[in-house]
Each structure stands twice: as C-alpha cells, then as structure tokens.
Amino acid sequence: MFPADLSIEEVLTDRNATPVADFSWHKAPITSVEWHTSDTSVFAASGADDQVTLWDLSVEQDEDEAPIVQSANGSDPQVPPQLLFVHQGQKDVKELHWHPQIPGMLLTTASDSFNAFKTISV
C-alpha cells in the first residue's frame, strides 16, 4: 500500500500526495461520517447543511454514459455517480450510525428530531 521506506508520518505530510477522490456536495461542515458495517465501499455523511448523504465508492461513471445536462442558468449541481441518496428535513444533524441489527438502516440525531430510515440502494 505504502512504499516500505516511508513512515506513516512521511506519507501523511507528503506535499506531492493527491486525493483518491474529491466529493463536493455538502455546502457546510461535515458533522458525522460512518462507514457501513458490512459494505466497505459505502459510507454515510451528515452536514451542517441539514443533509444526510449515502455514498458508494465502488460506483464509477461509464465512459460512454451521457454527461449530466445542466439547466440553462447552470444552477443545477452535478451529481457525482457515487452519491446514492440524500436525506433532508432535519435541522442541525449531529450524528449518524448504521443500525447494528438491521442491515442498511441508518439512524440520525438532530436538534429537532431523530430519524431511522433504510434506502433501497444499500
């Protein structure tokens, strides 16, 4: 994974390192991230923008797939192919956790409520 002659500190501070991926979706700080309990490519993230998102890093856009068309004013965001689901409706989402006994169920806590939901995509 890492070159044998480098320490972890050297890898973390390498100025030439590039990110594996960059997902620009949330418009405010991330408040919680948790990897799926059994699917190592899936994680959930919540943000101060009152969104909970589900991501699958194993999804890649096909080269022959048609590009996403934006509206005339260019205001529609480009949705990354790895973004599976966006949950909205809670205020100040602070924490999220995968349910330990129900595969794919996500629990979230916020200042106004808590939610338990399961999407069909995970």
Side-chain angles (χ1 to χ4, degrees), residues 19 22 24 32 39-40 47 51 53 56 66 69 71 95 103 107 109 113:
D22 180 9
S24 299
S32 185
D39 190 342
T40 58
Q51 294 186 66
T53 53
D56 186 348
V69 178
S71 65
E95 201 170 353
L107 307 165
T109 60
S113 65

Side-chain angles (χ1 to χ4, degrees), residues 42-91:
V42 174
F43 72 93
S46 64
D49 57 358
D50 302 331
Q51 294 186 66
V52 176
T53 53
L54 299 183
W55 300 83
D56 186 348
L57 300 184
S58 67
V59 175
E60 296 180 12
Q61 186 169 355
D62 292 334
E63 290 181 16
D64 60 344
E65 187 175 322
I68 298 170
V69 178
Q70 291 189 344
S71 65
N73 64 6
S75 63
D76 292 342
Q78 289 227 297
V79 178
Q82 295 83 5
L83 180 59
L84 299 178
F85 183 76
V86 178
H87 176 70
Q88 297 175 315
Q90 290 181 287
K91 298 292 180 203

